[in-house]
Amino acid sequence: MTAKPSILVARRLPDACEARLDADFAPRRLPGDGPHPMPALLAAAEGCSGMLVTLTERLDAATIATLPASLRIIATMSVGFDHIDVGAATARGLAVTNTPGVLTEATADLTLLLILGAARRATEAMALIREDRWGTWSPTGLLGVDLAGRRLGILGLGRIGAAVAKRARAFGLEIHYHNRRRASPEQEQGATYHDTLDRLLAVSDILALTAASTPETRNIIDHAALAKLPPGAILVNSARGDLVDDDAVIEALRTGRLFAAGLDVFRGEPALDPRYRRLPNVFALPHIGSATVETRTAMGMCAIDNLDAVLKRGTAPITPVT
């Protein structure tokens, strides 16, 4: 009988995924749910032919250079792969795969929650209830802003951006977007394309970031970008924390240049900039964009499908990033 491929599993997965790993592979797991120190992961990976990682495992060029020679594939349970030096992995002949598509709907739902939470001052409202400070109903209490008739600017009209646009239309929002290249008519669905970021910013009453983290997009929302938004705009980020300059965003929130922000991702998370916690006009969540039973299970299964293709069937990976 052919031995099952050994797989290093960096984090605990949903039950259905764990059961499949146990049935089809020889998984190696460290105690607890981590994230684990990289030296411990590297030691556990010795002799493994595959790694199943998440965005919490940062595999830079130096780390990839120390991976065991037995390794053939790194499967990340995430759509983003900025935590992996793909060039270094490719140079070593390693396949790198991600999980695109399966988290689109859940992340789009969460993005609408961020928009609503920021627009309707949900952080302040919840604090009144949780801290038992709700005195009385007031005609002028906690006035937020309507969504209907406002312009939603989407930076990155890919799968998730298009799904956000579809939901936002139901709230009466007018859709605008910027990509490096114009999307197809099927993807646009009547949205207005702007060929530069500056033009998108100028019309974005609400700006939603759904772009990937790349050298070109990191810190793309800085002081200069925020100054080009309409006064009192809302910023929403469900993509990656490093798309924004924290100092610039926090200053804009404090001065009222931004009405509010809805943030599910942060630079250096979970060690986010503590100033965000003290701002009442920040509706913040702990990176739960894909956190549904169905979606996280589908993500895990997609990663395992790639491991199965490369290590058991000897075929090309299903969702390669290279």
Side-chain angles (χ1 to χ4, degrees):
M1 180 178 290
T2 303
K4 296 177 181 179
S6 294
I7 305 295
L8 175 68
V9 184
R11 302 297 300 274
R12 289 292 178 264
L13 307 186
D15 289 346
C17 300
E18 294 282 1
R20 183 179 171 194
L21 285 168
D22 287 333
D24 296 344
F25 297 90
R28 294 186 188 174
R29 304 178 179 95
L30 274 69
D33 186 32
H36 301 288
M38 191 53 64
L41 284 174
L42 292 174
E46 281 299 325
C48 286
S49 53
M51 291 180 69
L52 200 166
V53 302
T54 71
L55 56 84
T56 60
E57 285 70 56
R58 303 205 64 83
L59 302 175
D60 57 17
T63 301
I64 287 172
T66 66
L67 291 174
S70 58
L71 201 70
R72 295 169 56 195
I73 177 174
I74 301 169
T76 181
M77 185 179 153
S78 60
V79 65
F81 47 89
D82 50 296
H83 55 295
I84 301 172
D85 190 319
V86 176
T90 302
R92 279 205 54 179
L94 297 174
V96 180
T97 67
N98 65 340
T99 60
V102 294
L103 49 70
T104 297
E105 303 302 323
T107 305
D109 288 347
L110 191 281
T111 305
L112 263 293
L113 174 61
L114 294 174
I115 292 172
L116 288 164
R120 297 302 297 270
R121 299 173 64 177
T123 297
E124 296 165 272
M126 289 188 294
L128 291 181
I129 297 294
R130 293 187 180 278
E131 298 169 12
D132 195 20
R133 294 188 289 107
W134 186 20
T136 183
W137 181 87
S138 167
T140 58
L142 287 178
L143 297 181
V145 296
D146 285 336
L147 298 186
R150 278 187 160 76
R151 299 164 297 183
L152 172 64
I154 299 176
L155 178 58
L157 195 76
R159 290 186 183 96
I160 294 172
V164 170
K166 178 180 178 181
R167 288 155 172 75
R169 290 185 184 96
F171 287 87
L173 285 158
E174 181 182 302
I175 311 301
H176 298 253
Y177 78 99
H178 169 65
N179 284 351
R180 285 177 296 176
R181 292 177 296 275
R182 185 166 186 169
S184 67
E186 293 76 20
Q187 190 91 332
E188 279 190 342
Q189 291 293 302
T192 300
Y193 173 63
H194 297 269
D195 59 0
T196 67
L197 175 61
D198 285 355
R199 288 178 176 145
L200 177 70
L201 294 172
V203 300
S204 296
D205 301 312
I206 302 168
L207 178 65
L209 308 180
T210 57
S213 173
T214 67
E216 293 74 31
T217 61
R218 285 167 200 149
N219 290 316
I220 196 168
I221 304 303
D222 56 12
H223 288 283
L226 292 167
K228 293 166 185 171
L229 289 168
I234 292 171
L235 173 67
V236 167
N237 189 4
S238 58
R240 282 290 187 266
D242 62 8
L243 269 62
V244 307
D245 178 327
D246 287 337
D247 288 334
V249 171
I250 288 166
E251 179 183 325
L253 288 163
R254 282 175 169 169
T255 61
R257 188 72 183 74
L258 285 174
F259 176 78
L263 307 174
D264 185 48
V265 290
F266 299 88
R267 187 186 303 272
E269 59 186 47
L272 70 155
D273 191 313
R275 294 175 293 175
Y276 281 120
R277 298 190 184 96
R278 298 191 290 269
L279 289 169
N281 53 347
V282 172
F283 180 65
L285 298 172
H287 202 150
I288 59 170
S290 62
T292 67
V293 172
E294 297 85 354
T295 296
R296 291 282 171 85
T297 299
M299 292 169 67
M301 290 299 186
C302 181
I304 297 169
D305 286 344
N306 279 289
L307 293 167
D308 185 85
V310 172
L311 301 179
K312 297 188 71 178
R313 292 187 281 118
T315 61
I318 300 167
T319 54
V321 302
T322 58

